[in-house]
Amino acid sequence: MALTDFGKAVRKARLDANETLSTMADALSVSPAFLSALETGRKNISEEWIVKIADYFLEKGIKIEKLAEYADVSNQSVSIANCNPQQQMLIAGFARSSFDAVTLAKFAKLLGTDKE
């Protein structure tokens, strides 16, 4: 199964840290299969695991940009519980929009979330 963007970011960080899937799994007290399932999108990534993985790499001097966003995409969901009503309406509006790819790319560039 292919890696998600979350999995690609974690794998790159692991390579940068000279860590293997097994050594990372041992350090986090989980199985390599569990970490692999997070990386490939076979398992949803909880907020707890986003923090654990980010902290794991921060201790090694590696900051993974946009890790939470990558997890949201992998999970195919975003919690709006902590957003104010205006943010909630904007999120819902974008989720249900029929914007074409060019328009969405312009929004992404404006918001600084484009993948250049």
Side-chain angles (χ1 to χ4, degrees):
M1 184 169 253
L3 291 177
T4 63
D5 285 342
F6 177 89
K8 290 174 188 175
V10 171
R11 180 171 286 179
K12 181 183 181 318
R14 199 170 50 245
L15 291 171
D16 290 347
N18 292 317
E19 294 286 334
T20 65
L21 186 69
S22 293
T23 58
M24 182 177 170
D26 287 344
L28 296 173
S29 301
V30 295
S31 70
F34 176 84
L35 286 182
S36 177
L38 293 178
E39 291 181 1
T40 58
R42 293 188 320 262
K43 184 160 187 57
N44 276 352
I45 307 149
S46 69
E47 185 66 31
E48 175 186 2
W49 277 104
I50 295 167
V51 171
K52 283 183 181 184
I53 291 169
D55 288 349
Y56 173 81
F57 287 112
L58 281 176
E59 288 177 6
K60 299 178 178 314
I62 299 168
K63 182 175 185 339
I64 305 176
E65 299 292 331
K66 300 182 181 182
L67 189 63
E69 289 88 343
Y70 291 146
D72 290 340
V73 172
S74 179
N75 292 338
Q76 297 184 5
S77 68
V78 176
S79 174
I80 62 173
N82 294 324
C83 296
N84 68 46
Q86 184 179 24
Q87 290 170 317
Q88 291 176 351
M89 290 301 293
L90 285 169
I91 293 165
F94 272 105
R96 297 187 181 278
S97 76
S98 58
F99 295 126
D100 62 21
V102 172
T103 303
L104 289 172
K106 289 177 184 176
F107 279 121
K109 186 169 181 105
L110 176 69
L111 296 171
T113 59
D114 53 330
K115 285 186 176 184
E116 291 183 7

